[in-house]
Amino acid sequence: MNLIDLAQRMQLAMHIPDGFLSVPVALAWWALTIVMIGIAVRQIGDSLNERQIPLMGVMAAFIFAAQMLNFPVLGGTSGHLLGGALAALLLGPWAGILVMSCVIALQALLFQDGGLLALGANIFNMGIATAAIGYFAGMPLLRLFGGKRWGLVVAGFITAWLSVMVAATLTSVELVISGLSAAVVFPAMLFVHMFIGIGEGLITVAALAFVVSTRPDLAATLAGYLSPEALRRPVGRGSMIGVTGVGLLIAVGAALLSPLASASPDGLERVAEDKGFLDQALGPVFNLLPDYTIPGLDGPVSTILAGIIGLLIVFALVYGVSLLLRGRGEGRAIGQQSGSRSGD
Amino acid sequence: MLELTDLCYTYPDGTEALRHINLRIAEGEKVALVGPNGAGKSTLLLHLNGVLRCRTGAITVAGHPIADESIRQVRAQVGMVFQDPDDQLFSPTVFDDVAFGPLHMGLDEQDVRGRVLRALDQVGMSGFERRMPHHMSLGQRKRVAIATVLSMSPGVLALDEPSAGLDPRARRGLIDLLRSLPQAMVVSTHDMRMVAEVFPRTVVLAQGQVAFDGPSEAILGDGELLERYGLERP
Amino acid sequence: MLELTDLCYTYPDGTEALRHINLRIAEGEKVALVGPNGAGKSTLLLHLNGVLRCRTGAITVAGHPIADESIRQVRAQVGMVFQDPDDQLFSPTVFDDVAFGPLHMGLDEQDVRGRVLRALDQVGMSGFERRMPHHMSLGQRKRVAIATVLSMSPGVLALDEPSAGLDPRARRGLIDLLRSLPQAMVVSTHDMRMVAEVFPRTVVLAQGQVAFDGPSEAILGDGELLERYGLERP
Amino acid sequence: MTLSTNALDRYIDGQSPVHGLDARVKLVLALAYILAMALLPPGAWAGIAVSAALLWWAVLRSEVGLRMIITRAFVALPFALVAVTLVFTRPGAPILRIPLGPWVLTATDVGLTAFVSIVLKSWLSVQAALLLTATTHFTDVLYALRALHLPKVLVAILSFAYRYLFVMIDEAQRMLRARECRSAELPGRRGGGSIRWRAGVVGQMVGTLFLRSYERSERIYIAMLSRGFSGELRTISPRALSSSEQGLLLVGGATLAGVVLVSYLLV
Ligand SMILES: Nc1ncnc2c1ncn2[C@@H]1O[C@H](COP(=O)(O)OP(=O)(O)OP(=O)(O)O)[C@@H](O)[C@H]1O
Ligand SMILES: Nc1ncnc2c1ncn2[C@@H]1O[C@H](COP(=O)(O)OP(=O)(O)OP(=O)(O)O)[C@@H](O)[C@H]1O
Ligand SMILES: [Mg+2]
Ligand SMILES: [Mg+2]
C-alpha cells in the first residue's frame, strides 16, 4: 500500500491545481474565502473557549486521516470520505469551516494536492461550502425528523451527498468562468461526484450514528443541534427556507440521477456489485463527452427541460411533506417531553 | 501447520527487517517471539497471513503456499491480533466486531451468530455482546480483540504484544486464556514471565535474524544470552 | 514541599475516584504510586498541579495552598508528565515543545532559550531541538516529554506511568534518568521493578484510598500485601 | 519511527543555499512565481521558457534532484484531461479533423495554444510548490505564515493539525491493516459483504477515529494547562529579515514581473 499514491489518487477529483483558474477567478475566491474564514475565526472566538484550539487542530488531522479509510468498490477503485459535511455535523458550522480549511491548506502545502493560487477556491468548495451545507441542510433536516434514528440516517445521507454535489458544482463553475468548456466540465464533474456522493453519504451516516450512539453527550456539546432538546424543537421559518433549498437541490440531483436510475432499476448497489462502481460511472462520461462537446445538439436541451419538470414535481413533493411533518413534529415534541421524564 | 523458508523482507525505504528466516510451527504449538525493539517481530507476524509478502522465500500455511489467489483463505487460517485493541475494534457493539470476520467470509446469519457466541465464550466475555468496546477496560478489549479472530476459527493465532499495558490482574487473565486456547500460536512479546508460563518454545529475533530457537527454559536460564539480546530475566 | 490533606474527588458522573487522601512529600523525596487499574492514581496526579481541584480538603505546594490566584505558580512548581508522550508533545518541533512552558511563564526569549537547552541536556537529548516528535522513538519521546517540564524548573515532578511501553533497554535509560534527577517525584506505575530501583517510598492506592504508605522494601517483600492489591512481585 | 513518516514527509534533507534560505522568502517567492505563471498569456512561449529556466536553476542549486521534481509534478496532469477539450471548443483556424461516428471533432490552433499553455503553466506551478516543500521544513512554513500575519488561531490549528497528522494517519493505517487481516474468505464461497455494509464499516472506523481524536484533544488540552497555558498562545517572535533577504525578494519579484510584462508585449 503506497501512501503517496493513495493520498494522491483520492484527492485528484476536486482539488484544482494551479494554472486552471484565471487570475481574477482565483483572487475573487480567495477574497470570499478570507472573509468567510475571518467570520469563522470571530464566531469561534466569541462563542467557544481556548479548549477549541487543540480540538480543531486534532480534528483537522482526524479528517485528513479519515480520508485514508477506504472500502473496496469492485474494479480496483475504492470509496472514501471527503468529510466536510461530517465535520460540520459533528463540530458545528464554524469549527467545521476552520477544520476543513486547514485540511485543504495542508493538502496543498504538504502534498501539492491542489494549487496555492487556487487554494482560495479549493477551500471555498471543499471546506466552506460543504460545511455550510452540513449546517444549513443538515440542521433543519435533523430537526424536521425530530431526533429519530432514521431521521439521522436520512438527514446525514442527504446532507453528505449534497455537500459533495455542491462542491463539485462550485468547482465546475469556477473552471467554466475561467474559460473551460461548460459542456464538458459540468457533466463530467457532476456525474462522477454523484457516485462519490453516495459513498460519502453512507460513510457519513455510519460515522454519525456511531458517534451519536457511543457518545451522545459529545455530539450534543460539539454541535448544539445534535442535542435531544434542539432536535425536538420545531422547525422555524428560517429553517424552512433551508429545507426548501435542500428540496430544490435534491430535485436537481434527482433530475441528474434519473437517466442512471432508469438504466438500473434494481438500484445502484447492484450496478456497483456486478460491474464495478466507478468503471460504470466513468464509462458513460467518456461516452457522453463527444455528445456534449458538439455544440448545437438538441439532446442537452431536452434533458434539461425534463430535468426542470422533474425538479418542480419533486420540489412540490418535498415541500408538501415537510409541511406535513412540521405539523406532526410540534405535536410530538410535547408528547416526548412528558414521556422522557417518566422514561428516565 | 506453518512453515517459513528463507524469508527475507526489506521495507520500501531500504530497512532490511528480516533476513533468511526459517521456521516450522506444528499444529497446536505455542511459540514466543522475543527480541529487542526493531528486531523484526512485528514484521515477521505480518508475513504469517500475507499482509506483507516476501519477495524471496516462501511461506506455507497448512501445506498451501501463500499466493494472490489463496490470500483470503490464508487469512481465515491465520488470525492476527494487533497490539492496540482500538485498531481492531471499530464497530459500535462487541457483537458487530466479532461478527465482522464471519460476515466477510459470507457465512449465513445463523452460523455467524453461533460463531460469535462461541468466540466470546472462549475468551470469557459472554454477555458483552451488546456492549460498546469503547466503554470497556483495556483488558476486556484485548479479550474481545482475540475473539474477533477466534470467530473465524483459525488454525494459528498471531498476537503482537498481547500483554503490553495490562495491569497484573488482567495480565494473569490473559495468560490463562492463552494457555487454554487450543490453537497454535506465534506471540511477540517483551514479557519474559509470560514466556515462562505459556510458551514451551521461544524464538529470539535479533536484527532480522533468528538468533535462538529452542525450549524456553534453555534461554530463560541463560543470563548471558538474555543480556546479549537485551532481554529481561523473568 | 507538597502536602495533601483530606483530599476527596468525585467525577462529574458520580465516580468517587479519591477518598480522604493524606500525604506529605518532602523536598527531593521520590515516591512511587502503585495500585490496580482504576485505583485513582492518575486522578491524584492531576490534583497535584491543580488541573483537577478538590472540593473538600486542601493541597499546599511549597507552603502555599492551591488557589485560583496561585495556580500559575503551582504549575511552574509541579511538572506533570502524561503517559502518552504524543499527548504531551503537541508542538511541531522539540524546541517549541520544551519552550512552551517557559514562554507561558512569561520569561523573556533569551532565558527561554537557555532553559530549553539545559532541559534537553538533562535528559540527554541535546541536538534534537529541530527534530519533530514523530521522527523519534518512544523512548526518545518520553525523555523529551520529561524535558518539557524540566524547562520550567519545577520542584516536584508528577509522572504517569513513565515506563509503560518501553523495551528493556529504553526502560533502563529511563530509570537512570529518574535516579539522576534531583527533584521530588510522585510517579504512578505498574512496574514494581522500577519501584525497587528508584523509589525509597511507596504509596499504594486502592479504590481511591491510601492502603499503604511506607518504605518500598516493606511492601516489595510482603507477598501477601502485593497479592491483595493485585501487584506483581518485582 | 512511525508507519507513515517516510511516505508522507516530502522534505528532503540538504545543506544547499536554497535549504538555508529563510522560509518567508521562499514562500513569498513561490507564491509570486505561481501568480506570474497564472498571469502569463496563452502562447507566451518565451515567457514560459524563461520561467522554466529560472525555476530549474533554483532546483539545480537546491540539490534535491531536477528529475524528482519534474516527475512528481506530473501528479496534477490528470486534471489536464478537463482542459483538453479547449482544443476543440475554442474558435480558431482548424488544424485537425477527427471523425467520430456521425460527428467530427475540429482542433483549432487557438485551442491547441490555450491547452498547451495551461498544461505547461500548471506543471511549472506544481514544480515551484514542490521545490518549496522539498527544501523547507513544514515547521518553518508555519513560522513564515505566522510572520506573514496569518491569524494566530489559524497558525495554531495548522501546527496542531500537522503535528497530529502523523499520529492519526498511523492510527488509520493500523485500523485498515487490522480490517484487512480479518477480510477472509472461504474456498468456494463468495465473501466480502455488500457495498453498503462495507461503506458502513468504514463509517464506523471513521467514528472510532473521531472519538479517539476527540479524547486525545482533551488530553492535549490538559497537558497544555499543566504547562501554564491560560488561553493565550505565546511563541518566540520571528527575527527581522536581513537586507540581503529583502534584496532577494525584490530582485525575484521584479524579475517575475518583468517576465510577465514582456510576455504581454510580445504576444
Ligand atoms: N513501515 C515501515 N517502513 C520502514 N521501516 C519499517 C517499517 N516498519 C518497521 N520498520 C523497520 O523494520 C525493523 C523491524 O521493525 P519491527 O516493527 O518488525 O520490529 P519489532 O521487533 O516489532 O519491534 P518492537 O519490539 O518495537 O515492536 C525496524 O528497524 C523498523 O524501524
Ligand atoms: N473523566 C472521567 N470521568 C469519570 N470517571 C473517571 C474519569 N477518569 C477516570 N475516572 C474513573 O475514576 C477512577 C480512577 O481512575 P484513574 O484513571 O485515576 O485510575 P488509575 O489508578 O490511574 O488507573 P490506571 O492504572 O488504569 O491508569 C476509575 O474508576 C475511573 O473509571
Ligand atoms: Mg512490534
Ligand atoms: Mg492512570
Side-chain angles (χ1 to χ4, degrees):
Chain A
M1 184 167 17
N2 185 334
L3 276 171
I4 297 178
D5 282 358
L6 200 70
Q8 280 169 357
R9 204 166 344 127
M10 74 196 196
Q11 294 310 335
L12 282 175
M14 246 189 281
H15 291 64
I16 308 173
D18 279 326
F20 289 84
L21 292 186
S22 68
V23 176
V25 172
L27 293 184
W29 255 279
W30 256 119
L32 266 177
T33 297
I34 289 170
V35 170
M36 292 304 295
I37 290 181
I39 298 175
V41 168
R42 256 255 163 93
Q43 291 281 340
I44 289 291
D46 285 352
S47 64
L48 303 159
N49 52 30
E50 73 277 9
R51 187 185 284 258
Q52 298 283 321
I53 295 175
L55 173 65
M56 285 189 293
V58 175
M59 283 301 140
F62 151 70
I63 293 283
F64 207 110
Q67 292 181 341
M68 297 209 152
L69 297 171
N70 56 5
F71 63 98
V73 184
L74 302 182
T77 56
S78 60
H80 69 88
L81 185 78
L82 293 170
L86 183 67
L89 284 169
L90 285 175
L91 302 173
W94 303 114
I97 284 181
L98 289 187
V99 163
M100 288 308 291
S101 301
C102 285
V103 170
I104 291 148
L106 275 179
Q107 283 165 345
L109 286 167
L110 287 173
F111 309 118
Q112 286 75 49
D113 282 325
L116 294 177
L117 193 59
L119 183 58
N122 283 330
I123 289 182
F124 192 89
N125 303 341
M126 285 175 289
I128 296 173
T130 52
I133 289 289
Y135 183 67
F136 289 112
M139 195 262 295
L141 280 174
L142 282 170
R143 279 219 226 135
L144 194 61
F145 301 129
K148 289 280 180 230
R149 203 179 160 79
W150 60 266
L152 192 72
V153 170
V154 174
F157 185 87
I158 292 176
T159 309
W161 188 80
L162 272 183
S163 73
V164 171
M165 292 308 283
V166 165
T169 310
L170 279 169
T171 308
S172 313
V173 167
E174 288 146 7
L175 288 172
V176 167
I177 307 178
S178 298
L180 293 181
S181 153
V184 180
V185 173
F186 274 104
M189 287 295 286
L190 294 186
F191 209 92
V192 173
H193 284 95
M194 272 184 322
F195 295 91
I196 294 181
I198 292 173
E200 179 87 2
L202 292 174
I203 298 176
T204 302
V205 165
L208 207 58
F210 182 89
V211 175
V212 169
S213 63
T214 314
R215 289 285 305 267
D217 55 314
L218 202 69
T221 43
L222 287 177
Y225 47 78
L226 283 176
S227 70
E229 309 84 63
L231 285 175
R232 265 185 244 125
R233 218 174 294 145
V235 182
R237 182 182 292 269
S239 305
M240 282 313 286
I241 297 173
V243 173
T244 314
V246 171
L248 231 130
L249 285 167
I250 297 172
V252 175
L256 285 165
L257 260 177
S258 55
L260 190 98
S262 62
S264 70
D266 294 342
L268 294 166
E269 193 164 304
R270 169 67 60 81
V271 174
E273 288 280 273
D274 294 348
K275 298 278 175 69
F277 203 46
L278 276 185
D279 291 351
Q280 184 78 354
L282 284 170
V285 176
F286 293 125
N287 296 338
L288 275 173
L289 282 181
D291 291 299
Y292 280 92
T293 46
I294 307 303
L297 264 178
D298 59 354
V301 177
S302 60
T303 308
I304 289 168
L305 261 180
I308 290 172
I309 295 169
L311 188 153
L312 288 174
I313 295 172
V314 177
F315 173 62
L317 272 174
V318 170
Y319 191 75
V321 170
S322 63
L323 278 180
L324 264 175
L325 280 173
R326 181 185 172 194
R328 283 230 324 261
E330 272 161 43
R332 193 177 49 223
I334 300 158
Q336 272 190 355
Q337 253 156 14
S338 57
S340 70
R341 225 169 275 133
S342 59
D344 289 350
Chain B
M1 187 68 215
L2 206 61
E3 187 164 354
L4 322 186
T5 343
D6 195 37
L7 192 69
C8 294
Y9 188 79
T10 307
Y11 276 102
D13 67 353
T15 315
E16 270 191 76
L18 294 179
R19 288 186 266 183
H20 308 288
I21 306 268
N22 289 291
L23 270 184
R24 289 186 65 130
I25 288 150
E27 197 133 335
E29 195 177 13
K30 292 180 167 44
V31 180
L33 198 59
V34 300
N37 287 132
K41 302 183 294 296
S42 302
T43 310
L44 179 59
L45 290 182
L46 287 173
H47 276 84
L48 298 186
N49 72 347
V51 170
L52 294 179
R53 298 286 287 281
C54 48
R55 269 142 236 190
T56 65
I59 304 183
T60 60
V61 176
H64 304 285
I66 295 184
D68 279 334
E69 317 80 57
S70 66
I71 191 85
R72 296 253 153 141
Q73 279 93 298
V74 166
R75 295 208 171 130
Q77 274 297 309
V78 183
M80 179 88 198
V81 182
F82 294 95
Q83 176 176 348
D84 188 348
D86 289 336
D87 298 330
Q88 194 117 357
L89 306 178
F90 39 72
S91 307
T93 68
V94 168
F95 183 94
D96 291 338
D97 246 321
V98 183
F100 178 92
L103 279 176
H104 194 280
M105 284 155 77
L107 301 176
D108 61 54
E109 275 188 33
Q110 202 54 37
D111 197 1
V112 170
R113 202 169 286 279
R115 278 164 177 259
V116 171
L117 296 182
R118 217 168 324 121
L120 284 176
D121 186 48
Q122 269 184 294
V123 299
M125 295 289 290
S126 292
F128 280 71
E129 293 82 9
R130 310 301 322 157
R131 291 278 292 278
M132 300 176 197
H134 191 77
H135 292 166
M136 299 181 336
S137 77
L138 182 66
Q140 293 174 324
R141 279 177 290 157
K142 289 235 178 196
R143 283 163 176 271
V144 174
I146 295 175
T148 62
V149 301
L150 287 181
S151 63
M152 297 159 73
S153 31
V156 188
L157 292 179
L159 314 186
D160 205 352
E161 312 204 8
S163 69
L166 292 183
D167 69 299
R169 211 162 282 176
R171 192 171 140 273
R172 163 87 4 239
L174 180 87
I175 288 177
D176 294 342
L177 170 62
L178 293 186
R179 289 168 67 114
S180 75
L181 290 175
Q183 274 90 353
M185 289 183 191
V186 187
V187 177
S188 101
T189 186
H190 291 294
D191 178 349
M192 298 309 281
R193 290 197 186 184
M194 182 170 80
V195 173
E197 291 193 50
V198 183
F199 303 97
R201 176 175 163 202
T202 297
V203 172
V204 180
L205 276 191
Q207 295 174 323
Q209 286 176 307
V210 175
F212 171 94
D213 181 356
S216 300
E217 293 130 40
I219 176 132
L220 292 172
D222 188 338
E224 198 234 322
L225 252 183
L226 290 175
E227 182 72 30
R228 175 144 24 109
Y229 298 116
L231 303 169
E232 299 248 331
R233 268 157 212 272
Chain C
M1 187 69 217
L2 206 60
E3 186 163 355
L4 322 186
T5 344
D6 195 37
L7 191 71
C8 294
Y9 188 79
T10 307
Y11 276 102
D13 67 354
T15 316
E16 270 190 77
L18 295 179
R19 287 187 266 183
H20 309 288
I21 306 268
N22 289 292
L23 269 186
R24 289 185 64 130
I25 288 150
E27 196 133 337
E29 196 178 12
K30 292 182 166 43
V31 180
L33 197 60
V34 301
N37 289 130
K41 303 183 293 297
S42 302
T43 310
L44 179 60
L45 291 182
L46 287 175
H47 276 84
L48 298 186
N49 72 347
V51 170
L52 295 179
R53 300 285 285 280
C54 48
R55 269 145 236 191
T56 66
I59 304 182
T60 60
V61 178
H64 304 286
I66 294 186
D68 281 334
E69 318 80 55
S70 65
I71 193 86
R72 289 181 152 234
Q73 283 92 299
V74 167
R75 296 214 167 124
Q77 273 298 309
V78 183
M80 178 86 200
V81 182
F82 296 91
Q83 177 176 348
D84 186 348
D86 281 335
D87 298 335
Q88 181 96 5
L89 305 178
F90 43 73
S91 309
T93 68
V94 167
F95 182 92
D96 289 339
D97 243 319
V98 183
F100 187 94
L103 274 174
H104 284 79
M105 285 159 74
L107 301 177
D108 65 53
E109 293 192 4
Q110 203 52 40
D111 196 4
V112 170
R113 243 169 250 282
R115 278 165 176 256
V116 171
L117 297 181
R118 218 168 324 119
L120 285 175
D121 187 46
Q122 268 185 292
V123 300
M125 294 290 290
S126 292
F128 281 69
E129 293 83 8
R130 308 268 306 135
R131 292 279 290 277
M132 296 168 219
H134 61 263
H135 282 261
M136 302 183 328
S137 75
L138 182 66
Q140 293 175 324
R141 278 177 289 158
K142 291 236 176 196
R143 284 164 175 271
V144 174
I146 294 175
T148 62
V149 301
L150 288 180
S151 63
M152 298 163 77
S153 29
V156 188
L157 291 178
L159 314 186
D160 206 353
E161 312 204 9
S163 69
L166 293 184
D167 69 317
R169 213 162 280 179
R171 193 170 139 272
R172 166 83 6 234
L174 181 86
I175 288 178
D176 294 341
L177 171 62
L178 293 185
R179 289 168 68 114
S180 75
L181 291 174
Q183 275 89 354
M185 290 181 189
V186 186
V187 177
S188 101
T189 186
H190 292 294
D191 178 349
M192 298 309 282
R193 289 196 184 189
M194 183 171 79
V195 174
E197 290 194 49
V198 182
F199 303 97
R201 176 175 162 201
T202 297
V203 172
V204 179
L205 276 191
Q207 296 175 322
Q209 287 177 306
V210 174
F212 171 93
D213 182 356
S216 300
E217 292 131 38
I219 176 132
L220 292 173
D222 187 338
E224 198 234 322
L225 253 185
L226 289 175
E227 183 73 28
R228 174 140 30 106
Y229 298 115
L231 302 169
E232 298 250 329
R233 269 157 213 272
Chain D
M1 186 70 75
T2 56
L3 214 64
S4 56
T5 315
N6 298 323
L8 282 178
D9 240 357
R10 296 236 174 136
Y11 176 76
I12 298 169
D13 213 9
Q15 301 297 324
S16 75
V18 183
H19 282 85
L21 202 55
D22 188 275
R24 287 167 282 182
V25 177
K26 278 187 276 187
L27 183 62
V28 170
L29 282 180
L31 285 174
Y33 188 89
I34 291 168
L35 183 63
M37 283 303 102
L39 285 170
L40 280 182
W45 308 124
I48 290 178
V50 172
S51 315
L54 279 174
L55 182 66
W56 290 341
W57 172 73
V59 173
L60 286 176
R61 295 213 54 189
S62 75
E63 299 159 11
V64 295
L66 188 56
R67 246 188 69 189
M68 191 280 295
I69 295 273
I70 286 183
T71 48
R72 273 201 182 168
F74 282 119
V75 291
L77 283 197
F79 213 91
L81 270 181
V82 184
V84 88
T85 52
L86 282 174
V87 179
F88 307 104
T89 52
R90 284 277 161 98
I95 50 174
L96 183 69
R97 289 167 169 279
I98 306 169
L100 256 186
W103 301 297
V104 177
L105 285 181
T106 313
T108 65
D109 59 346
V110 179
L112 192 64
T113 305
F115 170 67
V116 175
S117 301
I118 281 192
V119 170
L120 284 177
K121 283 157 52 174
S122 174
W123 186 52
L124 284 174
S125 302
V126 178
Q127 289 179 40
L130 271 170
L131 179 62
L132 176 70
T133 34
T135 60
T136 321
H137 273 299
F138 189 72
T139 50
D140 293 330
V141 175
L142 288 172
Y143 285 124
L145 291 175
R146 191 177 298 138
L148 297 172
H149 297 294
L150 204 70
K152 254 187 177 175
V153 189
L154 277 186
V155 180
I157 300 178
L158 274 176
S159 45
F160 276 111
Y162 176 70
R163 166 68 182 93
Y164 287 100
L165 197 60
F166 300 92
V167 179
M168 299 296 154
I169 287 178
D170 267 348
E171 284 184 7
Q173 293 284 316
R174 289 200 307 268
M175 284 166 97
L176 283 177
R177 194 151 74 181
R179 183 190 61 177
E180 194 186 337
C181 287
R182 284 197 274 156
S183 299
E185 271 164 27
L186 293 177
R189 194 189 277 268
R190 188 158 172 277
S194 69
I195 289 216
R196 244 183 64 195
W197 180 67
R198 291 203 292 264
V201 168
V202 168
Q204 289 159 4
M205 292 165 84
V206 171
T208 308
L209 198 61
F210 171 80
L211 290 183
R212 291 170 76 175
S213 315
Y214 179 82
E215 279 158 12
R216 186 180 289 283
S217 84
E218 276 186 325
R219 295 196 301 270
I220 295 167
Y221 180 64
I222 292 179
M224 289 169 74
L225 283 185
S226 298
R227 283 195 268 153
F229 178 71
S230 58
E232 191 208 351
L233 274 174
R234 299 184 199 190
T235 44
I236 289 202
S237 37
R239 64 176 178 83
L241 281 182
S242 71
S243 54
S244 63
E245 284 165 342
Q246 289 174 343
L248 188 65
L249 270 180
L250 271 180
V251 172
T255 314
L256 290 168
V259 170
V260 172
L261 280 179
V262 172
S263 300
Y264 271 101
L265 294 178
L266 287 179
V267 170

